[in-house]
Amino acid sequence: MKLASVISGQLANFFQRRGEVKPNELIKALEREVSKQKTKENFVPNSYVIYLCEEDCHRLSAARLIKSLHEAVERKVIRENCFMEGVLSVKIKKMTADENAIVIVSSYVDESDQEEDTINLENEVLSQTLIESTDASNDDKTIIADKTTIVATMRTATPRKVEYNLAILTDYKTSELVFGERQIYLGRKTTNDFVIDDESASRIHAYVAYERHRHVLYDAGSLNGTFVNKKPISRHELKDGDKILIGRTTLTYKVL
């Protein structure tokens, strides 16, 4: 599916509220937007901009919440059994108008227009810091932090790659693995991400890749084969609740 290079200015999830916006409200609104934008071909947009009033924007623009919003979209994609092309982007911005509402703009954006998936220390710290000018004629002498100076000292820090937690594999006995977008390996070999203590399993039995924002299970040429919901597979797009049989060991795939 080819992504449109021009952002479509579609507005959704516009609703009035009373009081300040809570993080859970943003997550629920974003999940509704994903469901609403699902096409007949089971694709959803890869860019989401949440517009809030200035007060809510400053209060909620923390890296931890942005990470939670990103994970909410990824998990919803899996639960809705749909797909997403390109890099996912979730941002919070200030409204131009003084509206007491949440507005979400979703669109398809080319990868070349996306920013690197990192947590920016500058935004994380400054979002929690009030920096404002002061009137020199004011009798109250207040020390005001200079934003330029603060940012200059922070640029030595390298932005860190974000690790998302999207799903879990478990045998409900001794082992479980929480994972996100990285490729993981399953089998008897002790260097696997998920080690299966089962003589019927191959040393490297199967692996899970991340494609179009879905976890895809592949059999790695195992001797006894890999099964999902009692059916043999060579490739399978995992769905919430799938039962994976490797040797005599059953694993369950669950979206967090």
Side-chain angles (χ1 to χ4, degrees):
M1 177 180 179
K2 185 177 181 181
L3 297 180
S5 60
V6 179
I7 297 177
S8 60
Q10 185 170 8
L11 302 182
N13 283 311
F14 179 89
F15 57 90
Q16 297 298 321
R17 63 176 177 80
R18 295 180 179 178
E20 65 182 24
V21 172
K22 295 179 175 59
N24 190 55
E25 288 182 306
L26 293 187
I27 292 173
K28 294 299 182 183
L30 201 51
E31 289 176 337
R32 287 195 294 271
E33 175 70 2
V34 173
S35 296
K36 182 176 180 179
Q37 295 301 327
K38 182 179 178 180
T39 68
K40 293 181 179 179
E41 295 78 21
N42 292 335
F43 280 89
V44 295
N46 66 327
S47 176
Y48 299 84
V49 181
I50 305 171
Y51 289 92
L52 302 172
C53 69
E54 184 172 6
E55 180 182 346
D56 286 335
C57 183
H58 286 310
R59 183 172 53 84
L60 297 172
S61 295
R64 181 177 296 181
L65 179 57
I66 296 297
K67 179 177 184 291
S68 296
L69 292 169
H70 187 115
E71 289 174 333
V73 173
E74 299 278 21
R75 295 167 185 170
K76 190 67 173 178
V77 168
I78 301 171
R79 290 195 181 98
E80 291 282 329
N81 194 26
C82 51
F83 305 93
M84 180 191 297
E85 296 282 10
V87 178
L88 171 61
S89 174
V90 180
K91 298 179 181 178
I92 295 177
K93 292 186 177 182
K94 182 179 70 174
M95 285 185 181
T96 54
D98 187 18
E99 295 284 354
N100 189 33
I102 297 173
V103 175
I104 299 179
V105 177
S106 60
S107 55
Y108 293 94
V109 179
D110 283 336
E111 289 192 40
S112 59
D113 297 326
Q114 293 281 13
E115 298 177 359
E116 186 179 357
D117 188 17
T118 58
I119 289 178
N120 189 298
L121 182 60
E122 174 186 334
N123 291 338
E124 170 69 350
V125 175
L126 295 184
S127 66
Q128 306 298 323
T129 306
L130 178 62
I131 299 176
E132 58 185 13
S133 60
T134 185
D135 188 350
S137 63
N138 196 324
D139 292 334
D140 294 330
K141 302 300 182 182
T142 305
I143 298 176
I144 303 298
D146 180 68
K147 180 176 180 179
T148 303
T149 302
I150 292 177
V151 171
T153 60
M154 294 167 63
R155 294 201 189 283
T156 56
T158 303
R160 59 189 184 275
K161 178 71 177 179
V162 184
E163 293 289 341
Y164 297 107
N165 296 323
L166 306 179
I168 184 172
L169 276 177
T170 178
D171 61 7
Y172 289 112
K173 294 179 181 179
T174 59
S175 301
E176 67 177 31
L177 175 67
V178 176
F179 62 105
E181 300 175 349
R182 64 185 177 90
Q183 188 161 301
I184 62 171
Y185 293 87
L186 302 79
R188 284 191 297 111
K189 193 175 180 180
T190 56
T191 54
N192 284 311
D193 300 279
F194 196 107
V195 179
I196 300 174
D197 186 15
D198 183 339
E199 289 298 324
S200 299
S202 298
R203 287 172 59 79
I204 299 179
H205 195 104
Y207 63 94
V208 179
Y210 195 67
E211 302 171 4
R212 298 189 298 179
H213 299 263
R214 293 290 300 275
H215 292 125
V216 182
L217 176 67
Y218 287 89
D219 180 77
S222 64
L223 180 62
N224 294 319
T226 301
F227 297 78
V228 177
N229 303 326
K230 299 182 179 180
K231 296 180 180 180
I233 63 98
S234 58
R235 180 187 185 276
H236 176 80
E237 290 158 354
L238 289 167
K239 302 177 182 64
D240 190 29
D242 275 349
K243 302 292 185 182
I244 303 167
L245 180 64
I246 293 179
R248 297 186 180 90
T249 302
T250 299
L251 309 178
T252 301
Y253 169 83
K254 295 287 293 181
V255 181
L256 293 174

